[in-house]
Amino acid sequence: MRGGRSRLGRLFDRRPTSALGGHKQPGGTWLATRSIALRLFLSSVFWSSLILLLAGLTLSAINRRSAEADFDERLSVYLKALAADVAGPGEESRINPGQLGEPMFDFPLSGWYWQITRLDVPSDDDVKASRSLFAERLPPLAGPGNSADAGGPQKGYITGPDDRRLRIVERTIDNGNNGRFLIQVAASPEEVEIDIDTFNVALFLTFSLLALALVASTALQVRFGLRPLRRLGAGVTAIRRGDGERIEGRFPPEIAPLANELNLLMASNREIVDRARTHVGNLAHALKTPLSVILNEAPAQGDPRDAEALAAKVRDQAGIMRDQVTYYLDRARAAARSSVIGTAADVTPVIDGLVRTFGKIYRDRRVTFEAAVPEGLRFRGEKQDLEDLVGNLVDNAGKWAASRVWVTVVALTEPGDQAPSAIEITVDDDGPGLSEEARSLVMARGRRLDESKPGSGLGLSIVTDLAGIYAGSFRLARSPQGGLRAVLRLPGSRTEFRPNPM
């Protein structure tokens, strides 16, 4: 392998990097800072290994118990044969028990032994044993008071001749007047241990191969499963380098929303930049005319009256420039705020606050402001922009109303949707109103149909531009109260919306 690392190593060494290209050193744990591929791989290997280890230990324990049970069953067969001879009616059977069919009982210290001990007359002459014991004796497994004294078989391990570890099965037989006897059969468990060790080695090799197969399959699964994320990262890198404008391709359902949101975010950033360029160009064009007027008037300074006229002209043009600068700055700020994800504002407190404020402003003209706003409606945007939008409409209605202004808010639901997707704000007044032609003219920026009213003529155009920035709409119509109706539609929702039960 060239470069000192395999492809698998490069896959699991995807550490997060900072914007300057260096590796981050966050304060979390070591695993928390590793790549997702490494975390998935290590987690899978850990749990797979733990499960295999527990399964291996369980199978080994079951095999050991099964092997010991088979061995005990073999010894119990010999024990039953001896018990049958001891319980026989003849004295000869108790003195010379029959052959058990196992030649190992005849070889000295072979590891296979049997012994019959008379308990009611403790004497060396009353102990019968296999030739393999060779003058040795088997110690009892069960002490006084144990179940062996009651006739039940006992199984366990003892230390026999030559300090060898033996597996023993013993039982007490009560022949009544003929006496009580302790019958013992013992054998070395070496062949059982060999079988158990052989099984454990085979089990270890099998589970080791299975673990290697699981590790390899886990690595393949991680690489295959995270391929869409690598494609997503490559798409973002291509956009950053200028090789693309959006993330292309189809993604799984779990990642597709992320790719779509990234595309929307980048489109929003491009739109902000384009709007900023447009605003700068429009502002430069708007300031060009007032500056030209000032430059043309500047040379005429011989007569004091010309100086006064110049000063008045400068004040007028400076006011126009100030209004234009304020207008484009507000538009730029609103465009930036509209792109903030997750921003929302409650409608009711904004409307109620505006109604109270303008009620005090137009108190001398005896204009009454009323509002009808359902609870729980929210505007998906900045609170300041909602105040600017509704405030301009309410202010305009207050200027022209005869005595009353109505503000009404309703929730709008698109066909097929359960939750409201928009809000519609209607501002009515009982003033003189406007004709259809005048309504189209008043929407133009800086256009004022009545110079006697205060203002710069930018209010309704600001509403139009802000509504467009939030993908909303704004229109004027004739009010049922006889005056002007302003209808503003904006993106919205309800808090804690619950669909109607079926």
Side-chain angles (χ1 to χ4, degrees), residues 284-331:
H285 180 75
L287 296 180
K288 183 177 180 180
T289 300
L291 289 175
S292 298
V293 172
I294 292 175
L295 291 175
N296 291 333
E297 295 290 337
Q301 297 182 7
D303 192 337
R305 289 175 297 179
D306 294 336
E308 294 178 1
L310 175 62
K313 183 65 69 175
V314 168
R315 284 194 298 271
D316 292 340
Q317 298 303 318
I320 294 175
M321 288 190 292
R322 179 194 60 201
D323 293 338
Q324 296 290 346
V325 170
T326 301
Y327 171 75
Y328 284 108
L329 285 178
D330 290 341
R331 283 197 60 182

Side-chain angles (χ1 to χ4, degrees), residues 429-442:
D429 64 73
D430 58 353
L434 292 174
S435 64
E436 185 175 352
E437 180 181 1
R439 289 198 294 268
S440 61
L441 291 176
V442 79

Side-chain angles (χ1 to χ4, degrees), residues 80-102:
K80 291 177 182 178
L82 291 173
D85 288 341
V86 171
E91 183 69 22
E92 184 68 20
S93 63
R94 290 191 293 271
I95 297 175
N96 298 305
Q99 296 297 323
L100 299 179
E102 176 58 63

Side-chain angles (χ1 to χ4, degrees), residues 12 30-31 34-51 214-215 218 222:
F12 294 142
W30 178 85
L31 186 58
R34 301 301 96 185
S35 68
I36 295 178
L38 180 60
R39 295 170 67 182
L40 289 175
F41 179 77
L42 292 179
S43 175
S44 179
V45 168
F46 172 77
W47 288 111
S48 298
S49 302
L50 181 61
I51 292 173
L214 288 176
V215 169
T218 298
V222 169

Side-chain angles (χ1 to χ4, degrees), residues 251-408:
F251 292 90
E254 296 82 3
I255 303 177
L258 176 60
N260 294 334
E261 290 298 327
L262 287 175
N263 283 331
L264 291 175
L265 180 61
M266 288 179 286
S268 176
N269 289 337
R270 286 194 295 270
E271 185 178 355
I272 290 175
V273 174
D274 293 340
R275 284 174 179 169
R277 293 195 185 104
T278 302
H279 292 334
V280 171
N282 291 338
L283 179 59
H285 180 75
L287 296 180
K288 183 177 180 180
T289 300
L291 289 175
S292 298
V293 172
I294 292 175
L295 291 175
N296 291 333
E297 295 290 337
Q301 297 182 7
D303 192 337
R305 289 175 297 179
D306 294 336
E308 294 178 1
L310 175 62
K313 183 65 69 175
V314 168
R315 284 194 298 271
D316 292 340
Q317 298 303 318
I320 294 175
M321 288 190 292
R322 179 194 60 201
D323 293 338
Q324 296 290 346
V325 170
T326 301
Y327 171 75
Y328 284 108
L329 285 178
D330 290 341
R331 283 197 60 182
R333 294 191 185 101
R337 289 195 299 264
S338 66
S339 301
V340 178
I341 300 174
T343 305
D346 292 328
V347 176
T348 301
V350 172
I351 300 296
D352 291 343
L354 291 173
V355 167
R356 288 194 300 269
T357 299
F358 285 105
K360 296 177 181 178
I361 292 176
Y362 292 98
R363 182 184 303 168
D364 295 340
R365 293 187 53 239
R366 300 183 182 277
V367 177
T368 303
F369 292 83
E370 298 179 1
V373 185
E375 292 292 335
L377 288 184
R378 305 192 77 189
F379 163 60
R380 294 205 301 269
E382 286 285 342
K383 177 181 178 182
Q384 180 179 345
D385 294 335
L386 181 62
E387 292 174 344
D388 291 342
L389 287 164
V390 182
N392 277 298
L393 297 181
V394 176
D395 186 22
N396 185 76
K399 292 176 183 177
W400 297 97
S403 61
R404 195 174 297 273
V405 174
W406 295 267
V407 181
T408 307

